[in-house]
């Protein structure tokens, strides 16, 4: 079994997407397999449905490793971080619950740290790790600086963003880029799953091309339409769209997906107030 990045890279198809049957199941712990999470689902459920609590003890342990990071000990620090992320059945380590605090602590100590060395650590993690949660840390560290002009690294982040398990973390790295919205739009068009939910949520409808794509394809997803319906409806101004004189077949399909997500009774959110439904007709 190869490191995670190599596995993702070799499975990217000629169309620039990962196949519908792609998954990271071989890299999951036994417990995760028993719970049968598809890529991105565990973080997605935590993000949208659970009050996330930071593991302060783990954050302190990670910061101790990063604070002692130097140009000559990157490999050693990487190995120590891998040990911290070693699967623990009693107390599983989830990067999502800790990453904001880790990045905030790095920023607070930035004057005593070398950002270039931290980014080299991030590259080491991405290229070597077999651990899903460690990979998320490595990707997130690139949110500390704009590396969009370093083509090789930017391409690496974009490839990782194709995997639903890592899209959320890649977005946070991409948001510091000057062309962030353009890249997010490119990735959203390739997405299907939890990653697409995160991408569309961050996508700004800055031009007619993006707005029309949101109408026709923004809500369509293999995950419940309800996660994106309200977001897409707001971004395209659904009421305005419904008042158009001419609506083509593709737009009609997209509108139907949005409406289905808004009105479903057992969806993930109560997305639309009952008294407002008459405005849609």
């Amino acid at each position: 079994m190869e490191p995670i990045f190599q596995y993702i890279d070799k499975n990217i198809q000629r169309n620039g997407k990962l196949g519908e049957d792609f998954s990271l199941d071989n890299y999951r712990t036994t417990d995760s397999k028993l719970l049968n999470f598809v890529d991105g689902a565990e973080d997605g459920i935590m993000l949208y449905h659970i009050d996330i609590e930071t593991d302060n003890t783990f954050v302190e342990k990670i910061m101790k490793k990063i604070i002692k990071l130097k140009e000559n000990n990157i490999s050693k620090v990487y190995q120590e971080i891998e040990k911290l992320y070693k699967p623990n059945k009693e107390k599983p380590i989830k990067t999502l619950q800790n990453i904001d605090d880790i990045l905030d602590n790095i920023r607070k100590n930035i004057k005593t740290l070398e950002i270039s060395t931290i980014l080299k650590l991030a590259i080491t993690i991405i290229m070597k790790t077999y651990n899903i949660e460690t990979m998320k840390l490595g990707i997130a560290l690139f949110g500390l600086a704009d590396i969009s002009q370093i083509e090789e690294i930017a391409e690496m982040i974009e490839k990782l963003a194709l995997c639903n398990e890592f899209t959320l973390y890649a977005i946070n790295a991409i948001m510091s880029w000057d062309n962030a919205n353009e890249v997010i739009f490119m990735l959203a068009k390739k997405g299907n799953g939890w990653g697409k939910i995160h991408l569309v949520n961050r996508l700004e409808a800055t031009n007619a091309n993006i707005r029309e794509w949101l109408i026709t394809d923004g809500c369509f997803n293999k995950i419940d339409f309800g996660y994106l319906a309200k977001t897409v409806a707001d971004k395209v101004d659904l009421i305005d769209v419904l008042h158009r004189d001419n609506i083509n077949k593709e737009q009609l399909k997209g509108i139907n997906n949005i409406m289905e997500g808004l009105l479903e009774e057992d969806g993930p959110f109560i997305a639309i107030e009952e008294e407002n439904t008459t405005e849609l007709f």
Side-chain angles (χ1 to χ4, degrees), residues 160-222:
L160 288 163
L162 297 172
C163 176
N164 288 312
E165 190 70 38
F166 303 128
T167 313
L168 180 62
Y169 304 88
I171 290 171
N172 288 333
I174 291 167
M175 288 306 295
S176 64
W177 302 1
D178 288 339
N179 63 339
N181 203 59
E182 179 183 336
V183 175
I184 288 173
F185 183 40
M186 176 272 291
L187 292 167
K189 289 187 287 185
K190 297 178 180 180
N192 191 5
W194 285 98
K196 182 173 182 178
I197 292 170
H198 304 315
L199 288 160
V200 172
N201 277 332
R202 298 302 289 268
L203 180 64
E204 297 294 331
T206 54
N207 58 55
N209 187 33
I210 295 175
R211 190 164 181 264
E212 288 306 307
W213 179 84
L214 284 168
I215 294 169
T216 58
D217 297 281
C219 196
F220 181 77
N221 203 16
K222 63 184 178 183

Side-chain angles (χ1 to χ4, degrees), residues 48-107:
Y48 289 103
H49 301 289
I50 297 173
D51 290 331
I52 302 173
E53 294 185 6
T54 302
D55 183 344
N56 293 311
T57 301
F58 182 78
V59 172
E60 289 175 9
K61 289 179 180 179
I62 287 286
M63 286 307 303
K64 284 180 181 178
K65 305 301 180 186
I66 291 177
I67 286 171
K68 73 176 186 179
L69 183 66
K70 302 293 181 184
E71 188 73 28
N72 63 358
N73 69 356
I74 294 172
S75 181
K76 183 175 185 292
V77 171
Y78 161 67
Q79 293 296 334
E80 292 175 355
I81 288 174
E82 284 284 23
K83 288 179 182 178
L84 291 179
Y85 272 101
K86 187 176 180 179
N88 185 331
K89 292 182 180 180
E90 295 182 1
K91 191 175 183 182
I93 301 299
K94 299 300 175 187
T95 299
L96 181 65
Q97 70 185 104
N98 302 313
I99 194 58
D100 287 344
D101 284 72
I102 291 171
L103 295 178
D104 285 346
N105 273 280
I106 292 174
R107 291 185 182 104

